[in-house]
Amino acid sequence: MSTIRFTRVNTARALAGAGITAVLLSLATAPPAHADVQARACTFPSTISHHAGKIVGTRNVICNPPGEEGPAPVTVQRSPNGTTNWVTVAHDDGNEGVATYVCAGTGTRYYRLKEATHKMIKAACS
């Protein structure tokens, strides 16, 4: 009787081992499900400019593939010295890709895009 039980246990272990081996072999030889999908490369072109007393920041997203383009979130920030104390003065969450700040006063200040801090201008608003 113990020989039969021993045989059943060994048979169950052998079948389980064969099943695991088959699964591992199929994973090793089958290409991943995403093999035919290309990686998306996205760029975010942006601008900041001064027009008629307004600071205007724009930002879009362009992705390839499949060549999609649309608005992206954009934030305009202001600083008195261009290095510290950046304060958000206008924001768009991506609905239009345009943030506009109507500035006041005659003092020269620095403005930048929070999402692209190298995009900076120095402007007197009046």
Side-chain angles (χ1 to χ4, degrees), residues 2-81:
S2 65
T3 304
I4 295 173
R5 186 180 307 161
F6 182 71
T7 303
R8 285 183 187 167
V9 170
N10 282 343
T11 303
R13 285 182 185 162
L15 289 174
I20 291 172
T21 302
V23 168
L24 291 175
L25 285 175
S26 69
L27 290 176
T29 58
H34 62 281
D36 60 340
V37 177
Q38 298 176 3
R40 281 176 63 125
C42 296
T43 60
F44 293 87
S46 56
T47 63
I48 188 165
S49 58
H50 177 229
H51 298 289
K54 297 177 183 176
I55 304 297
V56 179
T58 64
R59 190 163 174 256
N60 291 300
V61 59
I62 301 171
C63 294
N64 285 307
E68 293 178 9
E69 181 176 347
V74 60
T75 305
V76 175
Q77 294 181 319
R78 177 186 68 205
S79 170
N81 58 17

Side-chain angles (χ1 to χ4, degrees), residues 79-113:
S79 170
N81 58 17
T83 57
T84 60
N85 301 322
W86 290 100
V87 177
T88 297
V89 293
H91 175 75
D92 176 72
D93 60 7
N95 293 326
E96 297 180 22
V98 178
T100 303
Y101 170 65
V102 179
C103 42
T106 58
T108 300
R109 294 193 173 100
Y110 293 84
Y111 299 89
R112 73 176 184 184
L113 298 183

